[in-house]
């Protein structure tokens, strides 16, 4: 049995899936399984996976019908059997050849840590760097305090997990009430299972494109952050709601501005 799984949920990913797989192929793959869940794609995804079948320790699950995104992610988590895993969206990729080694070392050296995070690099469709997301932390940090800071800032201050211990995950899954904030909800839920660790290197490239689900979900920001407050803390009063609404509106404006910046970069070449 593999010790670590890179789990990739994909739907119609022919434009970027091969890039994600290439970023894994340059890693140290001792004890690593690549688990891809094809969510009944209708494009060339299956052909790409067939090309990579003998080039990676690859296990492919083909869904017979397309599941909603959250259900697909949860179904994929049910199929992970290794001691630890990371979930890599098919349009993202590993930004450092040492990413998996560093992630597994962080878990090995910190046996009470439930999840590991890292700095990020934002890229466009052509892999051009748009920005670096640095979290200004290194080593162990308090995940519960980070969750509360997410509420105060209207932003995901956890980042993207590059490793999660499956024993800590247990039966925890992406919650039914969240899509925009589903990553925050899962990371915060893991806070009760153990500590968190941060690697201050950009190990994951997060792609910004017009296809990102983020743009479709921006209108749900306030309702989902209120849901986070109710689930993990306490429901805010009238003043707290007004403050959170202002914060979410400001962050939404920032995200839209970044989207226009990315579009301008693409147009200018």
């Amino acid at each position: 049995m593999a010790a670590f799984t890179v789990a990739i949920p994909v739907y119609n990913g022919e434009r970027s899936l091969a890039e994600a797989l290439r970023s894994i192929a340059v890693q140290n793959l001792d004890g690593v399984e690549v688990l891809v869940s094809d969510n009944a794609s209708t494009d060339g995804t299956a052909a790409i996976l067939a090309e990579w079948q003998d080039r990676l320790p690859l296990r492919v699950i083909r869904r017979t019908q397309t599941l909603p995104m959250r259900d697909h992610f949860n179904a994929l988590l049910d199929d992970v059997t290794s001691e630890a895993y990371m979930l890599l969206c098919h349009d993202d990729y590993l930004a450092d050849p040492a990413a998996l080694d560093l992630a597994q070392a962080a878990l090995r050296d910190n046996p009470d840590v439930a999840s590991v995070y890292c700095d990020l690099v934002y890229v466009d469709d052509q892999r051009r760097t748009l920005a670096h997301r640095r979290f200004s932390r290194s080593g162990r940090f308090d995940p519960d305090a980070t969750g509360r800071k997410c509420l105060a800032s209207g932003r995901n201050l956890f980042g993207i997990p590059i490793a999660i211990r499956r024993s800590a995950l247990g039966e925890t899954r992406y919650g039914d009430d969240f899509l925009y904030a589903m990553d925050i909800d899962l990371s915060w839920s893991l806070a009760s299972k153990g500590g968190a660790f941060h690697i201050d290197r950009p190990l994951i490239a997060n792609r910004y494109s017009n296809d990102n689900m983020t743009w479709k979900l921006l209108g749900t920001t306030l309702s989902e952050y209120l849901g986070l407050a109710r689930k993990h803390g306490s429901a805010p009063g009238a003043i707290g709601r007004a403050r959170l609404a202002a914060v979410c509106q400001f962050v939404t404006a920032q995200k839209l501005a970044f989207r226009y910046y990315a579009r301008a970069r693409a147009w200018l070449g």
Side-chain angles (χ1 to χ4, degrees), residues 55-202:
R55 299 163 65 184
L56 285 171
L58 184 62
R59 177 162 61 107
V60 177
I61 296 170
R62 291 186 172 88
R63 308 294 171 185
T64 57
Q65 60 182 9
T66 302
L67 300 172
M69 182 179 74
R70 180 177 50 232
D71 294 344
H72 184 209
F73 283 23
N74 283 337
L76 178 54
L77 293 185
D78 290 341
D79 291 316
V80 174
T81 59
S82 57
E83 298 170 6
Y85 77 95
M86 74 166 296
L87 193 149
L88 182 69
C89 291
H90 76 259
D91 53 351
D92 295 341
Y93 58 90
L94 297 175
D96 190 314
L100 296 185
D101 276 345
L102 291 169
Q104 293 180 85
L107 289 179
R108 184 176 60 249
D109 296 342
N110 299 276
D112 60 331
V113 158
S115 49
V116 179
Y117 301 82
C118 61
D119 289 350
L120 307 172
V121 56
Y122 295 143
V123 299
D124 65 12
D125 282 329
Q126 285 72 47
R127 290 189 61 168
R128 292 174 297 202
T129 299
L130 297 171
H132 284 86
R133 177 86 187 273
R134 305 189 190 281
F135 291 81
S136 301
R137 65 190 180 213
S138 180
R140 301 175 68 93
F141 68 96
D142 183 343
D144 189 58
T146 301
R148 293 194 297 271
K149 290 177 182 176
C150 290
L151 287 182
S153 66
R155 302 190 69 199
N156 180 357
L157 299 181
F158 287 100
I160 300 173
I162 193 162
I164 292 177
R165 205 179 297 276
R166 193 165 63 92
S167 59
L169 179 73
E171 299 301 316
T172 302
R173 294 295 183 268
Y174 292 101
D176 293 340
D177 297 329
F178 305 100
L179 277 175
Y180 178 81
M182 61 190 290
D183 290 328
I184 299 175
D185 175 50
L186 185 71
S187 291
W188 205 344
S189 296
L190 289 171
S192 63
K193 310 293 183 64
F197 190 92
H198 189 91
I199 302 169
D200 57 346
R201 282 171 61 172

